[in-house]
Amino acid sequence: MAAAISERISAFVEALPLKPGLRVLEIGCGPGVAARAVARRVGHGFVLAIDRSEKAIRLARAGSGEEIASGCLDFGCVAIEDFALRPGDALFDVAYAMRVGALDGRHPEAGRAALARIKAALKPHGRLFIDGGDPLREIDLVRGLPS
């Protein structure tokens, strides 16, 4: 059974500029609560949710059977600093992360590597959003993360 969505996650997801058909990358998906909510918002689009924790990915998959079966959601166990598209994978329109150390300033070196990986996975005008705003903020992929 899928976990209920918290007010914080719900506000973040609702603030994302999502529409049907988008390809979305979630970084640090945990048990997949936000990924499922985003998958509902993009309809016939696609969400790839990644996390470095095997346990988190197991929980996310366990709670997302319907979305996975429909082809609108998938999960991968990988740190964002090591993420790369597979040959033939389409680029993403939007990427987002909530409480991810590589993107919130806790790990600056990992943050630089993460931004390079995210930029490579996004379309030329793709957008990256992280928490820390009201309820989110957009990161300029040219300037990078604020110091």
Side-chain angles (χ1 to χ4, degrees):
M1 171 127 190
I5 191 165
S6 72
E7 191 173 310
R8 177 186 65 84
I9 292 173
S10 180
F12 186 95
V13 169
E14 288 301 315
L16 288 168
L18 301 174
K19 62 184 180 185
L22 290 180
R23 286 183 53 82
V24 179
L25 173 64
E26 181 181 3
I27 302 150
C29 67
V33 174
R36 288 186 291 275
V38 169
R40 286 190 292 276
R41 293 215 26 226
V42 298
H44 61 277
F46 177 74
V47 178
L48 175 62
I50 64 170
D51 199 291
R52 67 178 66 236
S53 165
E54 289 181 21
K55 180 180 179 183
I57 294 300
R58 278 195 308 274
L59 290 169
R61 285 184 177 136
S64 306
E66 185 177 318
E67 294 87 354
I68 292 169
S70 74
C72 68
L73 177 59
D74 198 7
F75 295 95
C77 186
V78 62
I80 188 56
E81 312 86 273
D82 301 320
F83 177 76
L85 292 173
R86 296 173 300 218
D89 281 352
L91 296 171
F92 292 94
D93 299 289
V94 173
Y96 70 93
M98 289 180 279
R99 296 186 177 169
V100 173
L103 298 173
D104 67 8
R106 288 182 279 168
H107 306 286
E109 189 171 314
R112 288 186 288 279
L115 284 181
R117 297 296 183 139
I118 295 165
K119 190 172 180 179
L122 287 172
K123 292 178 179 177
H125 297 290
R127 300 171 73 186
L128 169 62
F129 298 90
I130 65 170
D131 53 345
D134 187 20
L136 53 80
R137 66 184 170 131
E138 186 167 2
I139 299 299
D140 182 332
L141 290 168
V142 174
R143 291 184 176 165
L145 295 166
S147 306

